[in-house]
Amino acid sequence: MCGIVGYVGERQAAPLMLDGLKKLEYRGYDSAGLALQHQGINVIKAQGRMDILEKLVHSREHVGNVGIGHTRWATHGKPSDENSHPHCDCSGQFAVVHNGIIENYLELIDELKSSGQQFASETDTEAVPHLLSTMWQGDLLSTLMAITPKLEGSYALAVMSEKSPDELVAVRHDSPLAIGIGDDEYFVTSDIRAILEHTRDVIYLEDGQFARLTPRGVQVFNSDGQPAEVFPVHIDWDSEAIEKSGYPHFMLKEIMEQPDALRNTIAGYLAEDDEIRFPDVKLDAGEIKDISKIFLVACGTAYHAGLLGKHLFETMLGIPTETDLASEFRYRNPVLQPDHLVIVISQSGETADTLAAMRESLRRQAKVLAITNVVGSTIAREAPNVIYTKAGPETAVASTKAYITQLAALSLLACYVSRVQDNKWDKFKTLLQGLREVPHLAEQFLDKHKDSVEKIAKDGQHWRDAFFIGRGLDWAVAQEGSLKLKEISYVHAEAYAAGELKHGTLALVEEGVPVIGLATQQSLIDKTISNIKETKARGAYVIGISQFPERMTDAADVIIPLPKLPDPLMPILSVIPTQLLSYHAAVIRGCDVDKPRNLAKSVTVE
Ligand code: AGP
């Protein structure tokens, strides 16, 4: 995720911003830059790590006690010097850094180009300084207020201008931004760990709020331009807690970030008019129309995401689809043809088995598309077609927000293929509508049920074996839930197709054995519930997960209710309680949640 640091005060801004940006490196980035106000705006920026930017800044004296800095996690436009932030207008009188996604950037840029503006980058962000320049109102904050109604999407912006050299202005819309209050110096940042060595007194801007920072102080305004009542908070985190934004573990932080990760991923590709754009997918309409078979190839959690893809591509598109574990695929002599599409899924983009499977597919002349979370990763660089999940860096070994954004990306891809193949498009319109609701419904679920799920997981202390069961997509999520529980709490867990239990495994179900029963697929719910009842009749302790809790009252000992979505999208919600159950079970068992034994975040060996 990108990082923003800005400064106004008596000290030189450059060293403070370099320091602050380095504290945001953990968030993952591919380029960095800063702008300083001194006899005009001086911008220093480059692709690559912070040490490259530091060398540039130290290569000559850079003065200025007003500045903005940024670490970029590429969403629109590949990692490059030109695409790094800050971005300026043609005159260089305005400089902007931005977190988030401006969804309507293409139309804004078209308008600006037709009025003569020249663009230097491929980013959505660069529309902002040109808007500021063309809509200048004589005052920097008023101008920022004037342009924001034209912006659609999510944005945290910090802006400086030669026209108003001793101030910074900022606005927050869906993307976090905070103001640091120092001794006669003020900071703006997307992540307070960047400034905590200078001040622990911060104001978290609310959505739609603006701020003006000058050496004389900070003013905050509501979206209507009226002064806002602000409530500075004092942060007393220790340094480790700061890394996790106050959460006890990265895994919990990343579970809680899932609504934003979904928002960024869906908004990054789905426009207001239902247009879906994948800027890094080069397959043309003819190639897409010719796809006769799809292979979804991945490892671990990414493989479980592929199970949703199979459902979507087969049942909604009618395209034969196989799912393969990458470690098996590469050695099973797969029968591939030029009209076959191999989709590799990898959070890290570095998993050896998945990389090898992709290379083997390319060697066998299949079409290849990668879904990955890391721009510039090996898989991203070698795949001819790429869809980036915009989950931001995932630090915990157990994958959560990357998985959920892989499901969103696969849903969007199925809609995209459907539109090109012009079949069953109406079915997908319902799916797209559901996708738009997903981030909010995920947020709603977490707000309402995270504590009750934690209570249920308290039992995890005593679990020895656990079963996750379901049918269809519920079985797919059961497989992901069982992996999560195994890998971080070390409880032996199995996922089972609910209809298969009676063919043997039911023998293992005895008094008190926890069974997590997923029942979200309406076409299968009756059968699923009767299978869950079979386990309960043999003494299982059943945790039911469903958007129809009323259907599970006599099948489950405790029920976790979900919001309602179309069946194909229910995995995006039903996986969340399984993540929380696994997390809290691991915590109560005293496990190393973020770094479970024997495991690595990215398995770059066979
Ligand atoms: C997920 O919780 C595990 N850490 C693991 O299964 C992981 O999903 C797998 O190693 C694939 O990693 P990738 O997505 O980075 O390729």
Side-chain angles (χ1 to χ4, degrees):
M1 307 276 249
C2 306
I4 289 177
V5 184
Y7 174 79
V8 178
E10 299 300 315
R11 292 192 280 172
Q12 286 306 315
L16 299 173
M17 288 194 292
L18 287 172
D19 249 2
L21 292 175
K22 285 198 296 193
K23 291 192 174 53
L24 303 188
E25 287 191 277
Y26 82 93
R27 299 163 67 95
Y29 69 105
D30 49 63
S31 49
L34 53 85
L36 295 164
Q37 188 76 257
H38 179 70
Q39 293 162 0
I41 289 179
N42 304 307
V43 175
I44 312 113
K45 62 181 188 177
Q47 177 186 353
R49 313 302 294 170
M50 276 302 297
D51 57 344
I52 294 173
L53 179 64
E54 280 191 297
K55 281 200 191 81
L56 287 172
V57 172
H58 294 151
S59 64
R60 57 192 173 84
E61 199 193 11
H62 285 282
V63 291
N65 45 29
V66 177
I68 52 178
H70 189 263
T71 49
R72 179 176 183 245
W73 172 274
T75 55
H76 291 76
K78 63 185 178 305
S80 69
D81 295 352
E82 300 72 29
N83 289 337
S84 314
H85 299 209
H87 287 288
C88 296
D89 67 310
C90 303
S91 69
Q93 292 185 313
F94 296 86
V96 172
V97 292
H98 165 228
N99 279 7
I101 291 169
I102 297 171
E103 293 165 24
N104 61 330
Y105 76 102
L106 288 174
E107 63 191 78
L108 291 174
I109 289 175
D110 286 348
E111 263 172 54
L112 287 159
K113 280 182 175 171
S114 57
S115 65
Q117 297 296 306
Q118 308 280 319
F119 282 76
S121 79
E122 305 159 327
T123 65
D124 55 330
T125 304
E126 195 186 344
V128 176
H130 291 281
L131 282 172
L132 292 165
S133 163
T134 54
M135 293 177 68
W136 177 244
Q137 315 267 312
D139 165 77
L140 190 54
L141 185 61
S142 316
T143 306
L144 182 60
M145 289 179 170
I147 72 157
T148 44
K150 295 175 79 70
L151 307 180
E152 291 169 15
S154 59
Y155 48 88
L157 296 169
V159 176
M160 60 195 276
S161 172
E162 182 184 312
K163 290 171 176 282
S164 192
D166 72 344
E167 67 175 355
L168 290 184
V169 294
V171 61
R172 183 223 160 139
H173 181 78
D174 266 351
S175 201
L177 207 57
I179 307 294
I181 304 162
D183 293 335
D184 295 330
E185 59 182 16
Y186 303 92
F187 300 81
V188 57
T189 183
S190 56
D191 185 331
I192 59 169
R193 87 204 61 212
I195 61 170
L196 286 180
E197 71 174 281
H198 308 297
T199 177
R200 286 178 171 264
D201 296 312
V202 300
I203 297 167
Y204 287 103
L205 289 183
E206 288 169 22
D207 246 14
Q209 285 192 334
F210 295 82
R212 183 201 301 272
L213 290 73
T214 72
R216 296 168 297 287
V218 174
Q219 297 165 291
V220 177
F221 300 88
N222 291 320
S223 50
D224 59 6
Q226 295 308 308
E229 200 183 358
V230 292
F231 308 96
V233 295
H234 182 77
I235 305 292
D236 52 11
W237 291 343
D238 63 27
S239 54
E240 166 138 313
I242 289 166
E243 282 291 285
K244 298 164 192 152
S245 300
Y247 287 102
H249 300 100
F250 278 112
M251 184 177 175
L252 184 57
K253 171 173 174 284
E254 287 152 12
I255 289 172
M256 299 307 290
E257 285 175 341
Q258 292 183 124
D260 275 348
L262 285 165
R263 207 168 270 125
N264 288 339
T265 302
I266 295 164
Y269 299 114
L270 177 57
E272 290 297 304
D273 59 2
D274 277 359
E275 267 308 304
I276 298 172
R277 291 188 187 89
F278 291 125
D280 300 297
V281 173
K282 311 300 177 207
L283 292 169
D284 63 31
E287 290 170 312
I288 292 174
K289 281 193 164 74
D290 289 347
I291 294 171
S292 67
K293 185 169 184 181
I294 294 174
F295 295 79
L296 287 147
V297 182
C299 300
T301 288
Y303 168 78
H304 296 146
L307 299 173
L308 171 69
K310 173 179 171 65
H311 174 87
L312 292 170
F313 295 130
E314 281 196 333
T315 57
M316 299 184 81
L317 283 178
I319 301 177
T321 302
E322 287 188 30
T323 50
D324 271 277
L325 292 170
S327 53
E328 293 294 314
F329 179 81
R330 58 186 294 206
Y331 295 115
R332 71 173 180 79
N333 194 15
V335 178
L336 296 178
Q337 290 158 8
D339 63 351
H340 288 173
L341 174 64
V342 176
I343 300 173
V344 293
I345 307 171
S346 174
Q347 188 285 131
S348 62
E350 301 299 346
T351 299
D353 287 323
T354 311
L355 178 58
M358 180 180 80
R359 287 171 174 166
E360 181 62 16
S361 304
L362 289 167
R363 196 180 65 77
R364 292 172 181 250
Q365 312 291 317
K367 302 278 183 301
V368 169
L369 182 150
I371 296 176
T372 184
N373 195 40
V374 181
V375 179
S377 61
T378 308
I379 286 177
R381 277 183 284 109
E382 295 187 12
N385 305 285
V386 183
I387 296 175
Y388 291 106
T389 49
K390 302 174 189 293
E394 192 175 63
T395 307
V397 165
S399 181
T400 51
K401 61 178 184 172
Y403 168 79
I404 219 164
T405 54
Q406 288 160 359
L407 300 185
L410 285 162
S411 305
L412 287 167
L413 178 59
C415 296
Y416 180 79
V417 171
S418 162
R419 168 161 273 184
V420 173
Q421 294 196 341
D422 198 21
N423 65 355
K424 305 181 182 62
W425 171 240
D426 287 349
K427 258 189 183 177
F428 281 92
K429 281 186 87 66
T430 321
L431 205 65
L432 287 184
Q433 185 44 42
L435 267 177
R436 285 202 168 86
E437 294 165 27
V438 154
H440 168 67
L441 293 177
E443 205 154 47
Q444 191 184 61
F445 173 81
L446 284 166
D447 289 347
K448 279 173 75 174
H449 298 290
K450 64 180 185 301
D451 297 338
S452 57
V453 176
E454 178 179 358
K455 281 202 190 71
I456 295 168
K458 289 273 185 258
D459 270 348
Q461 194 162 346
H462 313 298
W463 293 347
R464 274 184 313 106
D465 298 289
F467 293 91
F468 289 75
I469 66 172
R471 284 174 176 255
L473 286 178
D474 284 333
W475 180 33
V477 175
Q479 293 174 64
E480 173 54 17
S482 120
L483 174 63
K484 274 297 95 48
L485 185 63
K486 271 183 280 203
E487 68 174 328
I488 60 170
S489 72
Y490 314 148
V491 171
H492 175 255
E494 278 198 67
Y496 241 82
E500 185 62 12
L501 271 174
K502 53 188 172 299
H503 299 287
T505 305
L506 197 56
L508 292 177
V509 177
E510 55 190 357
E511 193 61 30
V513 165
V515 170
I516 293 88
L518 293 126
T520 73
Q521 300 300 295
Q522 295 174 74
S523 57
L524 299 164
I525 193 163
D526 293 336
K527 290 187 172 41
T528 306
I529 288 177
S530 67
N531 296 143
I532 293 171
K533 281 180 181 170
E534 285 161 14
T535 67
K536 190 159 171 36
R538 287 155 179 85
Y541 174 74
V542 177
I543 299 168
I545 298 176
S546 177
Q547 72 274 37
F548 304 108
E550 70 287 352
R551 300 287 305 275
M552 297 195 85
T553 43
D554 56 358
D557 295 278
V558 61
I559 299 169
I560 302 172
L562 296 173
K564 290 185 171 62
L565 273 174
D567 279 8
L569 295 178
M570 283 309 297
I572 298 181
L573 294 178
S574 63
V575 74
I576 298 175
T578 68
Q579 296 166 342
L580 288 170
L581 283 169
S582 304
Y583 169 77
H584 290 297
V587 168
I588 202 160
R589 297 165 72 93
C591 298
D592 184 351
V593 174
D594 286 332
K595 297 187 185 65
R597 66 187 180 201
N598 313 336
L599 301 180
K601 180 58 186 169
S602 176
V603 184
T604 53
V605 294
E606 283 202 38

Short mmCIF file of all heavy atoms in Angstrom, two decimals, residues 193 237-247:
data_model
loop_
_atom_site.label_atom_id
_atom_site.label_comp_id
_atom_site.label_asym_id
_atom_site.label_seq_id
_atom_site.Cartn_x
_atom_site.Cartn_y
_atom_site.Cartn_z
N ARG A 193 2.96 5.62 11.99
CA ARG A 193 4.29 5.18 12.44
C ARG A 193 5.38 6.02 11.78
O ARG A 193 6.50 6.08 12.26
CB ARG A 193 4.47 3.69 12.15
CG ARG A 193 4.97 3.38 10.77
CD ARG A 193 4.60 2.03 10.35
NE ARG A 193 3.14 1.93 10.33
CZ ARG A 193 2.51 0.78 10.61
NH1 ARG A 193 3.18 -0.27 10.96
NH2 ARG A 193 1.21 0.72 10.55
N TRP A 237 1.51 3.63 21.58
CA TRP A 237 1.99 2.32 21.15
C TRP A 237 3.49 2.18 21.33
O TRP A 237 4.23 3.16 21.18
CB TRP A 237 1.74 2.15 19.65
CG TRP A 237 0.33 2.02 19.26
CD1 TRP A 237 -0.74 1.72 20.06
CD2 TRP A 237 -0.21 2.20 17.94
NE1 TRP A 237 -1.88 1.72 19.32
CE2 TRP A 237 -1.60 1.99 18.02
CE3 TRP A 237 0.36 2.50 16.71
CZ2 TRP A 237 -2.43 2.08 16.91
CZ3 TRP A 237 -0.47 2.59 15.61
CH2 TRP A 237 -1.85 2.39 15.71
N ASP A 238 3.94 0.93 21.55
CA ASP A 238 5.39 0.72 21.46
C ASP A 238 5.73 0.50 19.96
O ASP A 238 4.81 0.35 19.13
CB ASP A 238 5.83 -0.48 22.30
CG ASP A 238 5.19 -1.78 21.77
OD1 ASP A 238 4.88 -1.84 20.56
OD2 ASP A 238 4.97 -2.69 22.59
N SER A 239 7.00 0.40 19.65
CA SER A 239 7.38 0.39 18.22
C SER A 239 6.82 -0.84 17.51
O SER A 239 6.28 -0.74 16.41
CB SER A 239 8.90 0.41 18.07
OG SER A 239 9.42 -0.66 18.84
N GLU A 240 6.85 -1.98 18.18
CA GLU A 240 6.33 -3.20 17.52
C GLU A 240 4.84 -3.04 17.25
O GLU A 240 4.35 -3.29 16.16
CB GLU A 240 6.58 -4.42 18.40
CG GLU A 240 5.74 -5.57 17.86
CD GLU A 240 6.42 -6.90 17.82
OE1 GLU A 240 7.58 -6.96 17.35
OE2 GLU A 240 5.80 -7.86 18.25
N ALA A 241 4.12 -2.50 18.22
CA ALA A 241 2.66 -2.33 18.03
C ALA A 241 2.43 -1.40 16.85
O ALA A 241 1.51 -1.58 16.07
CB ALA A 241 2.04 -1.76 19.28
N ILE A 242 3.32 -0.41 16.70
CA ILE A 242 3.15 0.56 15.60
C ILE A 242 3.18 -0.16 14.26
O ILE A 242 2.38 0.09 13.38
CB ILE A 242 4.26 1.63 15.67
CG1 ILE A 242 4.01 2.54 16.88
CG2 ILE A 242 4.32 2.45 14.39
CD1 ILE A 242 5.19 3.40 17.24
N GLU A 243 4.08 -1.12 14.11
CA GLU A 243 4.16 -1.88 12.86
C GLU A 243 2.80 -2.48 12.54
O GLU A 243 2.42 -2.60 11.40
CB GLU A 243 5.17 -3.03 13.02
CG GLU A 243 6.61 -2.62 12.94
CD GLU A 243 6.97 -2.18 11.54
OE1 GLU A 243 7.12 -3.04 10.68
OE2 GLU A 243 7.03 -0.95 11.32
N LYS A 244 2.09 -2.90 13.60
CA LYS A 244 0.83 -3.59 13.36
C LYS A 244 -0.38 -2.68 13.55
O LYS A 244 -1.50 -3.15 13.74
CB LYS A 244 0.72 -4.79 14.31
CG LYS A 244 1.82 -5.81 14.08
CD LYS A 244 1.94 -6.76 15.23
CE LYS A 244 3.22 -7.56 15.10
NZ LYS A 244 3.74 -8.00 16.40
N SER A 245 -0.06 -1.35 13.50
CA SER A 245 -1.16 -0.39 13.64
C SER A 245 -2.01 -0.65 14.87
O SER A 245 -3.22 -0.50 14.85
CB SER A 245 -2.08 -0.42 12.40
OG SER A 245 -1.33 -0.11 11.28
N GLY A 246 -1.34 -1.16 15.90
CA GLY A 246 -2.06 -1.34 17.16
C GLY A 246 -2.67 -2.73 17.31
O GLY A 246 -3.11 -3.11 18.37
N TYR A 247 -2.69 -3.54 16.21
CA TYR A 247 -3.22 -4.91 16.35
C TYR A 247 -2.16 -5.79 17.00
O TYR A 247 -0.97 -5.56 16.82
CB TYR A 247 -3.57 -5.46 14.97
CG TYR A 247 -4.82 -4.84 14.37
CD1 TYR A 247 -4.72 -3.87 13.38
CD2 TYR A 247 -6.08 -5.22 14.80
CE1 TYR A 247 -5.86 -3.29 12.83
CE2 TYR A 247 -7.22 -4.65 14.26
CZ TYR A 247 -7.11 -3.70 13.28
OH TYR A 247 -8.23 -3.12 12.74
#
